[in-house]
């Protein structure tokens, strides 16, 4: 039926129909050829993003493992625990408390130097005394310590 209708058309209309078909074919080809590069680009972008995220997550996981190890070493360090025990039991004005405080401060500095990416390393005692060590910074202000404390919670 369609073939019969095309046969009965004038040449002018047949030519327009052929041009329309050619135009549709070119449009379909252009549409298809434009999707291929975008699809390939999206796949490459996705693969690269996944690789970067896995790299960053592995690096972050390694850093967190380092902090976990450091926390365990702090908790199991006899000098720090003994110093904290002495400081809790003795008077703040005593010589024993001062020696324990100096020992604690020295150990905090030595532990803080083992962490590469820490801005500040801080230990707060039972009595509220802060022992902080910051590497590469002139000094942390009280406001900085408050901000870091809020972030840590």
């Amino acid at each position: 039926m369609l073939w019969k209708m095309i046969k009965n058309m004038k040449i002018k209309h047949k030519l327009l129909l052929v041009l329309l078909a050619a135009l549709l074919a070119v449009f379909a080809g252009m549409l298809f050829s434009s999707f291929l590069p975008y699809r390939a680009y999206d796949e490459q972008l996705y693969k690269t993003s996944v690789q970067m995220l896995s790299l960053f997550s592995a690096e972050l996981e390694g850093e967190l493992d380092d902090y976990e190890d450091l926390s365990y070493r702090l908790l199991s360090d006899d000098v720090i625990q003994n110093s904290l025990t002495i400081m809790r039991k003795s008077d703040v004005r005593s010589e024993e408390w001062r020696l324990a405080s100096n020992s604690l401060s020295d150990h905090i500095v030595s532990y803080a130097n083992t962490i590469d990416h820490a801005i500040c390393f801080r230990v707060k005692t039972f009595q509220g005394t802060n022992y902080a060590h910051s590497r590469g910074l002139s000094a942390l202000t009280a406001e900085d310590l408050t901000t870091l404390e809020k972030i840590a919670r």
Side-chain angles (χ1 to χ4, degrees):
M1 174 148 171
L2 182 62
W3 183 250
K4 198 178 204 182
M5 192 168 73
I6 292 174
K7 241 179 158 181
N8 291 334
M9 287 178 138
K10 293 183 180 181
I11 293 182
K12 179 173 112 176
H13 291 133
K14 288 180 184 178
L15 183 62
L16 286 175
L17 188 62
V18 168
L19 285 174
L20 180 65
L23 186 66
L24 286 175
V26 168
F27 177 72
M30 284 178 49
L31 191 63
F32 180 72
S33 67
S34 68
F35 279 127
L36 286 178
Y38 285 123
R39 189 169 151 212
Y41 173 75
D42 287 343
E43 286 177 10
Q44 286 295 88
L45 184 63
Y46 176 76
K47 286 178 184 176
T48 304
S49 297
V50 166
Q51 287 174 348
M52 291 302 287
L53 284 174
S54 67
L55 176 69
F56 286 134
S57 67
E59 183 70 26
L60 196 63
E61 186 176 340
E63 287 294 321
L64 290 174
D65 286 342
D66 290 345
Y67 282 109
E68 185 178 2
D69 291 343
L70 179 66
S71 297
Y72 179 73
R73 287 189 312 203
L74 282 171
L75 289 174
S76 62
D77 189 312
D78 290 335
V79 175
I80 290 178
Q81 295 304 319
N82 288 337
S83 297
L84 289 172
T85 303
I86 291 169
M87 290 171 68
R88 186 176 57 171
K89 292 181 179 178
S90 59
D91 185 29
V92 176
R93 296 172 295 234
S94 71
E95 180 68 19
E96 186 179 28
W97 189 92
R98 189 186 63 73
L99 290 173
S101 174
N102 288 341
S103 175
L104 178 65
S105 182
D106 290 343
H107 270 74
I108 295 301
V109 169
S110 69
Y111 276 114
N113 287 330
T114 63
I115 299 178
D116 293 333
H117 302 292
I119 295 172
C120 177
F121 190 84
R122 181 177 133 187
V123 173
K124 189 173 184 178
T125 65
F126 177 76
Q127 297 156 333
T129 306
N130 285 312
Y131 293 89
H133 175 71
S134 58
R135 201 171 24 157
L137 302 173
S138 57
L140 291 176
T141 63
E143 182 180 319
D144 293 336
L145 289 174
T146 305
T147 304
L148 288 171
E149 190 173 88
K150 286 179 185 176
I151 292 170
R153 290 182 188 166

